[in-house]
């Protein structure tokens, strides 16, 4: 049955558990409802009949029940009586636009979209509005339904079939007006390099909260994913709307509470300093907005997002276990060193060795050679291909790092193609990590990048590419406005699409100084994303838990690395580093030849464990049981079949004479029997007991005594337990 129903002048969009209802009235698209599923025929009961009898209220007609400021709309423009922040703002010869409803299409498929869309969806609706003031200017509102994941993807397309150019000053991808008058809180993922995905919650009071990134990238400072939750909502209860953007450039979102209690969410590409010309006979598509609703709290909303990413976005297959050279050798890399690792890597179960930065040009530090993507013969006297061949003999795939959008001033590429560089000779140069960005809006630059990356596979035999991006934008904004980022990102996606088509088996890791472009746009074209450069388990457990608000384990790449951690200087146990890295896509980033036998054995065991987990872990159902409130981060991961699971516990800080918490598990079958096992833990109990009474962990070290049964969970310690459904006979 169709997922979209037309009920007189209303549209009823349906997902597995939710529905989204809008009506067309007086040419406006009025938002009526988004939430748990209600019967379609009830839509009339949602139509607002209260008049907002305020001195300042505006009405579109003489109908005093239609107070514009009290209504929800699917999109809004300024100067039409809506005094909230507008989702779309256009300038057409200094005159105001007035879009009225024209028609709808169900089942249409948007063609030639410059912005990524999900791989597939179940149904689509396109509403077309025509501008009464400017002939030929239309606005399309698209809705794509991903039924099983309870996600609705929206985007707008402006089509200018007229003869006059239109300046786009703001064009949000998504707008959600909530008119229930409820109290809400905004949950956002903020941070910086090395401390990405820090969860921050604040009340939505009258006025506007705005977040976003101005750096040209989706950024470590503010991830595009956010949630709006009913005040006091928890991981398991309360209304939660989660939004994300399939976009890798500067973005923004605002949450505005009106004096009348309504809340408006807007999000899309960054609108500050935007003046994007839409020439006659051209169209403009916004990045896709992704939204979901759950009445089962933040956990429910996250799991919807995870299902969406796994089933409709990520290109992910089962990934090889990787060994990355960066923190082992930094720029001091050499074929001999890599081959010296290879035998041990094979013994450890590694399936891919990634040669990180430093292999090309004359790159002995970060001041030089970006753009010269040919091996440095001092370091690879027999060429990288020969390294690939020797690795292949050990069944290890070759991976290579590249930063293809960048250029160093000290490079042959710079000398040959100064005109490709984003630099403005009239301005003082702004340099970041000694490098500049290539102008990906130019076709020849796109060709060059496709060639450079493709060549790693063709000439060197790489099956895996780590794609890095280590500086932010500067000069372009002053001249071209923030619309430049849109063109840049369009160029980037064109490149990634071509690479996907030309090298369908090439696995691409998305990295940007850690998690600087950890977004759905990049995830649409890449196999996994490097979550953060910070691998210290204490920091990392919080980063990974933050990432789980919007992203599944399938895309979240983690590495086992050295202690003390190179980013924090903090020491950590082998167990904590292993347990934490296992909760996602697992890899190693340290010199395994320098490990003692005990550490090597533990890491090899972890690789073997990961190979068992990875068949189900990527798209596991994730439950955040504790998020740091009492000094614990506890997450539970259950396979979609419900057979297997993992319980991860990080104890952040130890105090003497304290007991470990009783852990109430989630998502189990109450009738079934489960075994929970791991270091010093071996419990068999029913799902009902584990969920209601909870899992009792053994005695922990209290500060004075213990025996061989005592757990030693002190500062930054972890416990990773396996959960298995037992096959019980009646
Ligand atoms: C930043 C990345 O996040 C690191 O993993 C590493 O690849 C360096 N760049 C190399 O320059």
């Amino acid at each position: 049955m169709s997922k979209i129903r037309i009920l007189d002048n209303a549209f009823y969009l349906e997902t597995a558990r939710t529905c989204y209802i809008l009506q067309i009235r007086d040419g406006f698209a009025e938002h009526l409802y988004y939430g748990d599923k209600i019967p379609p025929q009830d839509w009339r009961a949602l139509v607002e009949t209260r008049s907002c009898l305020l001195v300042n209220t505006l009405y579109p007609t003489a109908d005093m029940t239609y107070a514009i400021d009290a209504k929800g709309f699917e999109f809004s423009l300024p100067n039409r009586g809506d005094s909230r922040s507008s989702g779309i703002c256009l300038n057409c010869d200094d005159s105001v636009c007035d879009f009225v409803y024209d028609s709808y299409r169900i089942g249409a498929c948007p063609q030639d979209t410059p912005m990524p869309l999900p791989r597939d969806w179940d149904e689509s609706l396109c509403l077309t509005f025509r501008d009464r003031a400017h002939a030929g200017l239309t606005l399309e509102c698209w809705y794509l339904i991903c039924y099983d994941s309870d996600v609705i993807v929206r985007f707008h397309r402006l089509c200018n079939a007229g003869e006059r150019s239109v300046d786009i000053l703001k064009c949000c991808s998504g707008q959600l007006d909530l008119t229930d008058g409820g109290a809400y809180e905004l949950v956002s993922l903020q941070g910086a390099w090395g401390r990405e995905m820090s969860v921050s919650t604040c009340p939505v009071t009258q006025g506007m909260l705005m977040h976003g990134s101005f750096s040209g990238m989706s950024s470590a400072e503010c991830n595009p994913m956010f949630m709006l939750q009913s005040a006091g909502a928890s991981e398991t209860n309360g209304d939660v709307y989660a939004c994300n953007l399939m976009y890798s450039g500067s973005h923004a979102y605002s949450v505005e509470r009106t004096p009348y209690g309504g809340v408006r969410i807007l999000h899309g590409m960054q609108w500050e300093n935007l003046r994007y010309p839409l020439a006659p006979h051209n169209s403009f598509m916004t990045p896709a907005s992704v939204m979901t609703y759950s009445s089962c709290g933040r956990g429910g909303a996250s799991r919807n997002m995870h299902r969406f990413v796994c089933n409709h976005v990520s290109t992910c297959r089962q990934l090889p276990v990787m060994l990355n050279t960066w923190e082992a050798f930094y720029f001091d890399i050499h074929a001999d060193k890599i081959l010296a690792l290879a035998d041990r890597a094979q013994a450890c179960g590694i399936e891919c060795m990634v040669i990180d930065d430093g292999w090309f040009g004359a790159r002995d530090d970060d001041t030089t050679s970006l753009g010269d993507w040919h091996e440095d013969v001092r370091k690879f006297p027999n060429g990288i291909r020969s390294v690939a061949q020797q690795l292949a003999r050990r069944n290890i795939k070759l991976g290579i790092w590249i930063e293809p959008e960048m250029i160093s001033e000290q490079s042959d590429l710079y000398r040959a193609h100064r005109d490709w560089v984003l630099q403005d000779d009239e301005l003082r140069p702004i340099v970041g990590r000694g490098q500049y960005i290539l102008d990906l809006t130019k076709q020849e630059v796109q060709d060059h990048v496709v060639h450079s990356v493709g060549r790693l596979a063709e000439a060197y035999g790489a099956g895996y590419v780590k794609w890095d991006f280590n500086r932010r934008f500067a000069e372009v904004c002053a001249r071209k406005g923030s619309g430049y980022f849109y063109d840049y990102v369009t160029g980037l996606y064109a490149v990634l699409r071509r690479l996907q088509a030309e090298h369908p088996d090439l696995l691409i890791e998305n990295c940007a100084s850690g998690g600087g472009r950890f977004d759905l746009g990049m995830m649409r074209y890449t196999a996994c994303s490097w979550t953060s450069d910070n691998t210290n388990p204490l920091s990392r457990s919080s980063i990974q838990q933050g990432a789980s608000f919007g992203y599944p384990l399938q895309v979240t790449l983690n590495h086992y690395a050295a202690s003390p951690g190179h980013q924090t200087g903090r020491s950590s146990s082998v167990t904590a580093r292993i347990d934490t890295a296992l909760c996602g896509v697992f890899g190693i980033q340290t010199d395994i030849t320098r490990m003692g036998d005990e550490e090597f054995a533990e890491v090899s065991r972890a690789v073997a464990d990961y190979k068992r987990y990875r068949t189900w872990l990527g798209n596991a159902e994730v439950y955040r049981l504790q998020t740091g409130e009492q000094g614990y981060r506890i997450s539970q991961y259950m396979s979609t079949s419900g057979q297997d699971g993992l319980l991860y516990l990080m104890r952040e800080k130890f105090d003497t004479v304290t007991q470990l918490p009783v852990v109430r598990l989630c998502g189990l079958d109450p009738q079934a029997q489960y075994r929970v096992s791991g270091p010093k833990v071996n419990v068999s109990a029913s799902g009902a007991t584990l969920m209601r009474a909870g899992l009792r962990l053994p005695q922990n070290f209290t500060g004075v005594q213990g025996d061989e049964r005592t757990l030693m969970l002190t500062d930054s310690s972890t416990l990773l337990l396996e959960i298995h459904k037992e096959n019980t006979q009646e």
Side-chain angles (χ1 to χ4, degrees):
M1 199 171 57
S2 174
K3 310 292 184 261
I4 296 172
R5 282 185 243 183
I6 303 162
L7 310 148
D8 298 333
N9 53 332
F11 292 89
Y12 179 94
L13 282 57
E14 184 180 5
T15 71
R17 279 160 294 226
T18 71
C19 68
Y20 186 103
I21 311 176
L22 61 104
Q23 75 157 333
I24 303 295
R25 180 169 158 187
D26 285 348
F28 289 93
E30 189 180 340
H31 179 73
L32 294 182
Y33 177 77
Y34 187 28
D36 273 337
K37 212 178 262 190
I38 54 174
Q41 63 276 13
D42 286 357
W43 75 271
R44 284 185 192 284
L46 306 169
V47 175
E48 193 59 76
T49 51
R50 289 172 299 176
S51 57
C52 195
L53 292 174
L54 294 165
V55 180
N56 289 327
T57 303
L58 297 174
Y59 307 91
T61 61
D63 179 355
M64 296 292 277
T65 68
Y66 203 109
I68 294 176
D69 268 345
K71 296 282 175 192
F73 294 105
E74 291 299 299
F75 66 90
S76 59
L77 281 94
N79 307 314
R80 301 299 304 134
D82 185 340
S83 56
R84 291 161 286 190
S85 181
S86 308
I88 298 176
C89 205
L90 307 173
N91 189 302
C92 189
D93 293 343
D94 293 334
S95 60
V96 172
C97 297
D98 184 14
F99 287 102
V100 289
Y101 175 73
D102 182 75
S103 55
Y104 73 88
R105 277 180 293 159
I106 289 180
C109 186
Q111 301 295 320
D112 301 326
T113 57
M115 289 290 121
L117 289 175
R119 283 199 311 270
D120 51 17
W121 52 86
D122 295 290
E123 190 68 277
S124 74
L125 169 68
C126 173
L127 303 176
T128 302
F129 299 81
R130 122 189 96 70
D131 184 5
R132 291 184 51 193
H134 303 97
L137 185 61
T138 53
L139 170 70
E140 292 174 356
C141 297
W142 285 84
Y143 302 80
L144 310 178
I145 296 176
C146 295
Y147 187 84
D148 290 333
S149 42
D150 285 315
V151 158
I152 297 178
V153 174
R154 287 188 60 178
F155 65 91
H156 291 124
R157 189 147 64 178
L158 280 162
C159 305
N160 185 4
E163 296 307 324
R164 291 186 287 176
S165 182
V166 178
D167 278 340
I168 300 170
L169 308 179
K170 182 174 184 182
C171 197
C172 286
S173 304
Q175 169 169 329
L176 183 63
D177 283 348
L178 303 172
T179 52
D180 64 348
Y184 286 97
E185 293 162 343
L186 173 65
V187 181
S188 33
L189 299 175
Q190 303 177 351
W193 172 82
R195 53 181 167 85
E196 296 88 343
M197 305 289 184
S198 167
V199 180
S200 139
T201 306
C202 64
V204 178
T205 52
Q206 188 176 328
M208 194 189 298
L209 288 163
M210 259 198 79
H211 289 275
S213 119
F214 298 94
S215 56
M217 47 207 288
S218 49
S219 87
E221 288 77 10
C222 179
N223 192 272
M225 193 268 162
F226 63 96
M227 292 178 176
L228 190 78
Q229 63 179 22
S230 53
S234 67
E235 281 295 324
T236 49
N237 289 306
D239 297 313
V240 178
Y241 299 89
C243 302
N244 206 342
L245 213 55
M246 293 185 83
Y247 189 57
S248 311
S250 289
H251 62 93
Y253 58 87
S254 66
V255 179
E256 178 181 8
R257 188 173 178 92
T258 72
Y260 319 113
V263 171
R264 169 166 293 174
I265 300 176
L266 294 173
H267 72 141
M269 58 189 273
Q270 178 60 251
W271 51 82
E272 186 165 310
N273 196 17
L274 181 69
R275 182 172 280 269
Y276 193 91
L278 175 57
H281 310 293
N282 269 307
S283 67
F284 174 85
M285 174 198 177
T286 65
S289 140
V290 175
M291 57 182 184
T292 189
Y293 164 84
S294 174
S295 54
C296 299
R298 293 184 295 275
S302 292
R303 287 187 290 279
N304 291 349
M305 284 296 191
H306 297 174
R307 269 191 293 276
F308 171 70
V309 178
C310 290
N311 300 339
H312 301 280
V313 179
S314 158
T315 59
C316 209
R317 292 147 270 198
Q318 187 163 289
L319 289 172
V321 181
M322 283 159 256
L323 173 65
N324 179 294
T325 61
W326 180 238
E327 289 188 5
F329 310 129
Y330 289 101
F331 295 101
D332 191 15
I333 198 163
H334 195 281
D336 292 347
K337 291 187 176 180
I338 291 161
L339 294 173
L341 286 185
D343 283 334
R344 258 204 140 194
Q346 187 183 22
C348 184
I350 298 293
E351 298 161 315
C352 174
M353 277 182 61
V354 184
I355 303 179
D356 209 283
D357 201 349
W359 60 268
F360 52 91
R363 182 118 164 138
D364 294 333
D365 57 34
D366 64 10
T367 60
T368 171
S369 300
L370 295 173
D372 297 345
W373 306 116
H374 293 270
E375 69 258 83
D376 180 344
V377 287
R378 294 171 304 154
K379 299 176 180 175
F380 293 90
N382 300 319
I384 286 198
R385 189 160 197 102
S386 106
V387 173
Q389 284 159 351
Q390 299 194 56
L391 292 178
R393 272 182 225 128
R394 295 169 174 90
N395 274 329
I396 297 176
K397 209 189 258 280
L398 173 76
I400 306 187
W401 176 96
I402 188 168
E403 201 177 356
E405 300 156 77
M406 297 289 171
I407 185 165
S408 305
E409 201 160 343
Q410 298 302 320
S411 68
D412 293 339
L413 187 67
Y414 191 94
R415 287 180 279 277
H417 289 292
R418 176 69 181 74
D419 55 317
W420 288 2
V421 184
L422 281 177
Q423 239 178 329
D424 192 326
D425 290 334
E426 288 169 27
L427 304 171
R428 282 168 296 159
I430 304 281
V431 74
R433 210 194 188 207
Q435 64 198 54
Y436 295 96
I437 305 176
L438 291 173
D439 187 354
L440 257 193
T441 63
K442 291 191 160 84
Q443 185 60 48
E444 62 269 36
V445 176
Q446 292 178 21
D447 296 343
H448 166 81
V449 172
V450 171
H451 172 75
S452 306
V453 178
R455 196 180 154 274
L456 302 180
E458 287 153 12
Y460 297 149
Y464 183 97
V465 164
K466 176 175 173 184
W467 183 307
D468 208 345
F469 185 88
N470 282 301
R471 72 153 283 183
R472 50 191 58 203
F473 293 78
E475 290 84 351
V476 292
C477 228
R479 287 181 178 238
K480 300 190 177 176
S482 59
Y484 176 82
F485 300 135
Y486 177 88
D487 288 342
Y488 183 92
V489 170
T490 304
L492 172 64
Y493 294 150
V495 164
L496 286 163
R497 265 195 291 270
R498 279 172 63 185
L499 281 166
Q500 230 176 27
E502 288 171 26
H503 302 276
D505 295 327
L506 184 66
L507 297 170
I508 299 182
E509 172 187 333
N510 161 38
C511 169
S513 274
R517 277 200 312 210
F518 200 94
D519 61 68
L520 296 180
M522 290 305 286
M523 287 172 194
R524 179 69 181 80
Y525 304 111
T526 56
C528 61
S529 296
W530 181 225
T531 321
S532 172
D533 278 347
N534 189 346
T535 46
N536 171 264
L538 181 63
S539 318
R540 188 74 177 206
S541 62
S542 137
I543 293 169
Q544 288 173 202
Q545 213 176 44
S548 80
F549 273 63
Y551 306 94
L553 297 197
Q554 192 175 86
V555 296
T556 309
L557 175 62
N558 307 319
H559 283 166
Y560 174 85
S563 169
H566 291 198
Q567 297 73 29
T568 55
R570 196 185 288 129
S571 298
S572 54
S573 68
V574 169
T575 309
R577 281 175 281 146
I578 286 177
D579 291 350
T580 308
L582 279 173
C583 300
V585 179
F586 181 82
I588 299 175
Q589 178 166 191
T590 188
D591 185 349
I592 53 171
T593 60
R594 292 165 139 226
M595 286 178 182
D597 290 346
E598 209 176 308
E599 183 181 0
F600 184 75
E602 281 191 59
V603 171
S604 305
R605 251 195 315 275
V607 171
D609 286 341
Y610 176 68
K611 288 180 181 170
R612 281 192 295 121
Y613 304 151
R614 71 178 166 187
T615 54
W616 60 266
L617 189 62
N619 61 357
E621 298 276 306
V622 177
Y623 302 90
R624 291 178 295 264
L625 306 183
Q626 285 201 23
T627 50
E629 302 83 47
Q630 278 92 40
Y632 290 93
R633 291 197 185 272
I634 309 180
S635 294
Q636 184 193 339
Y637 310 107
M638 289 307 296
S639 64
T640 49
S641 71
Q643 284 295 124
D644 304 293
L646 282 177
L647 182 70
Y648 169 85
L649 180 149
M650 154 64 72
R651 179 172 211 185
E652 297 185 325
K653 186 169 169 292
F654 170 73
D655 278 317
T656 55
V657 210
T658 48
Q659 295 295 331
L660 295 176
V662 169
V663 183
R664 287 200 177 81
L665 302 190
C666 284
L668 305 180
D669 172 358
Q671 312 299 331
Q673 192 72 11
Y674 293 86
R675 182 161 299 275
V676 184
S677 58
K680 297 177 185 171
V681 178
N682 191 359
V683 173
S684 176
S686 67
T689 302
L690 292 168
M691 291 194 292
R692 288 167 202 150
L695 171 71
R696 261 83 179 159
L697 295 167
Q699 176 65 49
N700 191 44
F701 173 66
T702 58
V704 273
Q705 61 193 23
D707 58 27
E708 71 284 354
R709 288 165 302 177
T710 310
L711 283 169
M712 281 298 290
L713 295 179
T714 55
D715 285 354
S716 331
S717 318
T718 59
L719 192 61
L720 190 68
L721 303 176
E722 294 192 3
I723 304 168
H724 296 289
K725 199 188 239 183
E726 298 193 309
N727 292 323
T728 44
Q729 321 242 293
E730 286 302 303

